[in-house]
Amino acid sequence: QTRPLRASPPARPSCHAQFQYMQEMAIANREASDFITMDDQAKVPFGDPNTMVSTGERGKVSLVPKETTLAALDHDMTRASITPSVIFKIEVPDSIDKSFYRGKVTVFVNDAVFQSSSPFRHGAALCKVLLNPKPILFKFTDGGVDQRNTLESVKIAAVCVFKELNLDMLIMCRCAPGQSYTNPCERCMSVLNLSLQNVALA
């Protein structure tokens, strides 16, 4: 995979330090902490009934049996799409030099029109995933409009999650603009993308 272009905003060092402080605090309170990272994957197009739409890009090679005809509408010819929303519950290690990329991945598949991403939808999904929540919740996300901690709607949704899960402490942090690759949840995306390569959906 070609390494994508990455911006270097002024906030990058401080955001990186914040994430490291979160990790260290989660380790210090390991028995009483849940560590969650969240992100939405790109929209996946699908066609009308009996009208298959390809998820592949034009000009990309597809693997199909010789006796099969590869026929599907182009991805530009769609009226609807689905958005996989990913929640990664990290198994907090016992030291900072161990991996923060182990845990349980949960994927919610949402209709992009009738189930659009919002802070309250993410909060409800988070409450479904944390069936037996611990007193402290660490949440790390990117800076999208449905996850940006400075927005009032995100703050209100966080208060709802705090009360619903009966938490003692909720710590939220986000990556710097253009640095979403630092979100551990992004590591899951490459695996999820494998199932969406060169398929046609209706």
Side-chain angles (χ1 to χ4, degrees):
Q1 179 180 351
T2 305
R3 194 175 285 270
L5 177 65
R6 292 174 181 166
S8 295
R12 179 181 176 182
S14 60
C15 289
H16 179 73
Q18 276 184 340
F19 185 46
Q20 187 172 356
Y21 296 155
M22 276 184 75
Q23 290 174 314
E24 291 176 352
M25 187 174 178
I27 291 169
N29 299 278
R30 185 167 176 256
E31 299 302 321
S33 299
D34 287 314
F35 202 114
I36 295 288
T37 66
M38 302 176 71
D39 197 10
D40 280 353
Q41 200 171 21
K43 291 182 178 179
V44 180
F46 65 90
D48 294 334
N50 301 317
T51 309
M52 305 300 282
V53 171
S54 173
T55 61
E57 298 292 329
R58 276 187 292 247
K60 299 293 182 184
V61 178
S62 298
L63 294 174
V64 293
K66 284 185 177 181
E67 61 275 4
T68 304
T69 301
L70 179 62
L73 293 176
D74 187 67
H75 67 280
D76 293 333
M77 312 296 286
T78 58
R79 291 185 289 184
S81 60
I82 55 175
T83 305
S85 184
V86 182
I87 298 176
F88 181 24
K89 184 179 178 184
I90 296 174
E91 291 179 8
V92 179
D94 54 9
S95 66
I96 193 65
D97 58 337
K98 292 186 179 177
S99 175
F100 264 79
Y101 298 101
R102 297 182 187 278
K104 182 180 178 183
V105 177
T106 305
V107 180
F108 291 89
V109 180
N110 301 314
D111 185 300
V113 176
F114 297 106
Q115 299 172 321
S116 60
S117 294
S118 71
F120 294 98
R121 181 170 292 281
H122 291 311
L126 182 57
C127 290
K128 284 185 177 180
V129 170
L130 294 176
L131 299 176
N132 298 304
K134 295 178 180 176
I136 303 172
L137 175 60
F138 295 88
K139 181 183 171 189
F140 189 80
T141 60
D142 63 4
V145 294
D146 53 337
Q147 299 279 15
R148 192 177 306 151
N149 303 334
T150 55
L151 298 178
E152 297 304 321
S153 58
V154 176
K155 293 177 186 177
I156 294 170
V159 170
C160 293
V161 169
F162 184 86
K163 293 181 71 64
E164 179 67 22
L165 297 179
N166 194 26
L167 300 173
D168 292 339
M169 187 183 299
L170 171 60
I171 300 171
M172 296 168 53
C173 186
R174 55 164 280 202
C175 58
Q179 304 288 303
S180 63
Y181 70 93
T182 60
N183 187 352
C185 197
E186 290 284 348
R187 296 278 181 106
C188 311
M189 300 301 187
S190 57
V191 178
L192 291 173
N193 283 336
L194 292 176
S195 62
L196 297 172
Q197 296 300 310
N198 298 306
V199 298
L201 305 175

